[in-house]
Amino acid sequence: RPPRSTLLPYTTLFRSIIQHEQRIKSKLITTIDNEKINKNQLITTHQEELENVTIEKSQITEELERKNNDLLMATTYMIKTNEKLAEISTNFKSIASKLQKTSSLNGEIYQTIEAIEKLSSKDTWDNFRSKFVDVHPNFFKNLNERCPGLTQNEMKLAAMISMNLSSKDIAKITLQQHNSINVARYRLRKKLNMESDEQLIGFLLQL
């Protein structure tokens, strides 16, 4: 058996190795724990970001739906209002037709009807455009870029067609004759080289 004094250096060295190994293991465990914490923090942050994006997307969708409903309600209101206005105009014209053509009252009635229709048409379009742009902010800009030769009336008509409104409803909104709107739709379609109304509506919905 070797003397104790001979084994002492080896024992000390062995202890040193074990202690060094323990320190390495401790550091490794600490590093792994830190990586787990960082990974969990990263996952938590990512989840929070995803939740924020989902909430923001939901809010945008709800806001867009609200604006779209506002546009539909405003359009329906304009149609109903202008229906009543057309009825009043017809009644006034009926009264005027019974008066003598030389009567000053006759001329005043027609002037009043014309003024009301002109004012109503402008107010109706301003209201419609405001609601429409809220839902489709780039429509007129994109349409003008794709088709720079369109008139203001054709731009108005294109906006209403993009909502899939019938010629009858557009006529009520613009206070024009149904046939006039059909002719305007046909001319717009030809100007844009579209063969059908379905093709025209599909094109306008992409703007």
Side-chain angles (χ1 to χ4, degrees), residues 7 28 31 38 42 47 74-75 97 103 118 122 124 145 157 180 188 196 207:
L7 289 174
L28 184 60
T31 301
N38 290 335
L42 204 63
Q47 287 175 338
T75 303
S97 67
S103 171
K118 187 175 181 180
K122 183 181 183 306
T124 297
E145 288 176 354
L157 180 61
S180 298
L188 177 63
S196 65
L207 298 176

Side-chain angles (χ1 to χ4, degrees), residues 50-66:
L50 284 176
E51 287 175 2
N52 290 335
V53 169
T54 302
I55 292 171
E56 186 177 350
K57 185 178 179 181
S58 176
Q59 290 174 340
I60 291 172
T61 300
E62 288 176 3
E63 179 67 10
L64 187 59
E65 287 178 355
R66 183 189 66 76

Side-chain angles (χ1 to χ4, degrees), residues 38-51:
N38 290 335
K39 185 177 180 181
N40 288 335
Q41 288 176 341
L42 204 63
I43 291 172
T44 301
T45 301
H46 185 59
Q47 287 175 338
E48 289 175 352
E49 289 176 352
L50 284 176
E51 287 175 2

Side-chain angles (χ1 to χ4, degrees), residues 48 67 70 87 102 108 114 148 152 160-161 174 192 205:
E48 289 175 352
K67 289 181 177 180
D70 286 348
E87 184 181 330
T102 56
E108 288 177 8
E114 185 179 348
Q152 286 298 314
M160 295 181 190
I161 292 174
T174 59
L192 298 178
L205 286 175

Side-chain angles (χ1 to χ4, degrees), residues 6 10-11 15 20 37 42 46 52 65 79 94-95 102 104 110 119 152 156 160 172 195:
T6 306
Y10 295 101
T11 303
R15 284 178 181 174
H20 182 66
I37 292 171
L42 204 63
H46 185 59
N52 290 335
E65 287 178 355
I79 291 171
S94 177
I95 293 170
T102 56
S104 60
Y110 278 103
L119 181 62
Q152 286 298 314
K156 293 178 185 179
M160 295 181 190
K172 290 174 182 177
E195 294 297 327

Side-chain angles (χ1 to χ4, degrees), residues 98-112:
K98 296 175 183 178
L99 298 172
Q100 294 182 1
K101 291 183 179 180
T102 56
S103 171
S104 60
L105 184 59
N106 191 310
E108 288 177 8
I109 289 175
Y110 278 103
Q111 286 178 5
T112 301

